[in-house]
Amino acid sequence: MATDPIPTKPLVDGYQRVHRDLRISVTDRCNFRCTYCMPEEGLAWQPREAVLTFEEIARIASIFVERFGFESIRLTGGEPTVRADLPNLVRSLTALPVELSLTTNGSRLDRLAAPLVDAGLDRINVSLDSLRRDRFERATRRDALPEVIAGIQAARAAGLDPVKVNVVVTRGLNDDEIVDFAEFGRHEGVTVRFIEFMPLDADHRWSSDSVVPSQEIVDTIAAMHPLEEVHRGSSPARRFRYVDGRGEIGVIGSVTEPFCASCDRVRLTADGQLRSCLFATTETDLRAIIRAPGRSASEVDHDLARAIEQTVAGKGPGHGISDVVFVRPARSMSQIGG
Ligand code: SAM
Ligand code: SF4
């Protein structure tokens, strides 16, 4: 006998924030070693059996969408494109009524952009922190700038619009390239989003002095090309359009202008741990629930939904980076899923 579908219930935390956005890390591995994210030797990768299968990811995603009304899913990592057959995961997630996006370092997009779009990918963000080949190599410890630029162009050619380029701005490293990036965005027809450096680097090099405030970035660009602010909607980025009509930029002031009060995100790590915040110090083991022996499919779904509700109910008010008592999470960005 068919059962009635369970009604959608918004996932609300103790601060009345409704959650609608799920970030899924598909792998903790990466082919780059960005200095603000990973040490040169890499990290201790999760063993393959610890990482969720595509079927497990799709099942957890369906609980978020069908029970809790989530509207967007972003795939990330580590580097999501190093996971074999990524388009297959995208294709299976298109069964859900959500906007599907990807954050990538772009190094494999030249080959993958078209298959990902064919599989149903809606949006893409490519990370790129320098337009100078030698500096790019120092920043990522890989000489791959031409591949990333080709990847951005392939994403545009495959029909992704807008392509967003994420730049983490670090004082003394690339803050002299802010205007170059603005020109790049205007020339290539991509939206550049400048992100403040956050204390999630594996090497613990972060200090508040290394953060370039978002407002400084806006002022620097506006001095060359006048900007006007655009309504940001639920986006963490403040958005500005060029007055001359040649596109827009975004700034994500995670440190100097935290947007925690309107946060609508939760994160699933590659090994199936649910985090209510990038900076959460606790996690909920959804992998253990989905792999629990002797539970029926409906019991597992019920257990997953309860665990998700409890995790979100326990979400803190904000990341507290500026608090005297700030505690860094035990995992770095690539291990959580940025
Ligand atoms: N490998 C993919 C990439 O680089 O786009 C996806 C994962 S990466 C962890 C996601 C995003 O986090 C990237 O845009 C990266 O620049 C950003 N990121 C990494 N470490 C960061 C940090 N300490 N502060 C701010 N952003 C960071
Ligand atoms: Fe890899 Fe992305 Fe981290 Fe760079 S930022 S090391 S590309 S996971």
Side-chain angles (χ1 to χ4, degrees), residues 45-46 55 62 77 87 195 206 208 216 242 307 335:
W45 310 131
Q46 294 285 346
E55 291 70 26
S62 75
I195 302 173
W206 182 90
S208 54
E216 180 182 324
Y242 292 109
Q335 296 166 314

Side-chain angles (χ1 to χ4, degrees), residues 110-188:
D110 197 7
R111 279 164 285 156
L112 275 175
L116 285 167
V117 170
D118 285 349
L121 187 72
D122 296 310
R123 301 174 83 90
I124 200 153
N125 289 37
V126 182
S127 305
L128 173 58
D129 298 328
S130 179
L131 295 166
R132 303 183 194 176
R133 193 163 174 172
D134 55 338
R135 192 181 274 184
F136 179 97
E137 184 174 2
R138 275 201 305 283
T140 62
R141 303 188 179 103
R142 298 291 184 268
D143 178 21
L145 180 61
E147 287 89 327
V148 176
I149 301 285
I152 291 169
Q153 290 165 344
R156 291 215 61 203
L160 291 166
D161 188 25
V163 170
K164 293 184 182 168
V165 171
N166 287 354
V167 185
V168 176
V169 187
T170 307
R171 182 75 73 201
L173 284 182
N174 61 352
D175 52 339
D176 57 347
E177 287 191 66
I178 291 169
V179 170
D180 293 352
F181 267 110
E183 301 296 356
F184 173 80
R186 289 162 63 84
H187 184 259
E188 294 288 330

Side-chain angles (χ1 to χ4, degrees), residues 21-283:
D21 182 35
L22 174 63
R23 307 270 149 146
I24 301 176
S25 172
V26 300
T27 178
D28 60 331
R29 294 168 195 239
C30 187
N31 54 345
F32 282 12
R33 297 286 182 272
C34 302
T35 50
Y36 56 63
C37 181
M38 267 202 209
E40 184 154 19
E41 64 281 11
L43 293 161
W45 310 131
Q46 294 285 346
R48 294 205 187 274
E49 62 280 8
V51 173
L52 295 182
T53 65
F54 284 172
E55 291 70 26
E56 289 170 332
I57 291 174
R59 182 161 181 194
I60 293 173
S62 75
I63 303 274
F64 278 99
V65 177
E66 289 166 357
R67 296 225 179 170
F68 298 120
F70 270 46
E71 294 167 352
S72 50
I73 293 180
R74 176 171 294 277
L75 303 179
T76 181
E79 173 48 39
T81 62
V82 304
R83 178 127 182 206
D85 304 321
L86 186 66
N88 291 350
L89 175 64
V90 169
R91 190 167 293 107
S92 77
L93 293 174
T94 57
L96 301 171
V98 283
E99 181 185 88
L100 264 181
S101 54
L102 177 75
T103 299
T104 171
N105 65 25
S107 60
R108 298 190 172 194
L109 269 190
D110 197 7
R111 279 164 285 156
L112 275 175
L116 285 167
V117 170
D118 285 349
L121 187 72
D122 296 310
R123 301 174 83 90
I124 200 153
N125 289 37
V126 182
S127 305
L128 173 58
D129 298 328
S130 179
L131 295 166
R132 303 183 194 176
R133 193 163 174 172
D134 55 338
R135 192 181 274 184
F136 179 97
E137 184 174 2
R138 275 201 305 283
T140 62
R141 303 188 179 103
R142 298 291 184 268
D143 178 21
L145 180 61
E147 287 89 327
V148 176
I149 301 285
I152 291 169
Q153 290 165 344
R156 291 215 61 203
L160 291 166
D161 188 25
V163 170
K164 293 184 182 168
V165 171
N166 287 354
V167 185
V168 176
V169 187
T170 307
R171 182 75 73 201
L173 284 182
N174 61 352
D175 52 339
D176 57 347
E177 287 191 66
I178 291 169
V179 170
D180 293 352
F181 267 110
E183 301 296 356
F184 173 80
R186 289 162 63 84
H187 184 259
E188 294 288 330
V190 300
T191 300
V192 180
R193 303 197 323 161
F194 298 90
I195 302 173
E196 289 178 357
F197 183 27
M198 293 185 280
L200 285 167
D201 53 319
D203 290 348
H204 291 233
R205 293 183 191 178
W206 182 90
S207 79
S208 54
D209 293 342
S210 52
V211 176
V212 180
S214 288
Q215 190 57 48
E216 180 182 324
I217 295 167
V218 173
D219 294 344
T220 304
I221 296 173
M224 299 291 294
H225 299 292
L227 291 166
E228 60 189 9
E229 190 152 6
V230 192
H231 178 60
R232 77 201 280 177
S234 63
S235 163
R238 279 169 71 206
R239 296 171 52 200
F240 297 83
R241 88 174 125 238
Y242 292 109
V243 171
D244 66 9
R246 294 199 43 203
E248 70 171 68
I249 61 155
V251 286
I252 304 184
S254 325
V255 179
T256 64
E257 301 171 11
F259 37 87
C260 304
S262 57
C263 179
D264 65 351
R265 296 184 180 166
V266 292
R267 292 169 194 271
L268 182 66
T269 66
D271 57 337
Q273 309 301 304
L274 184 65
R275 302 174 63 90
S276 59
C277 173
L278 255 183
F279 293 89
T281 49
T282 57
E283 300 179 335

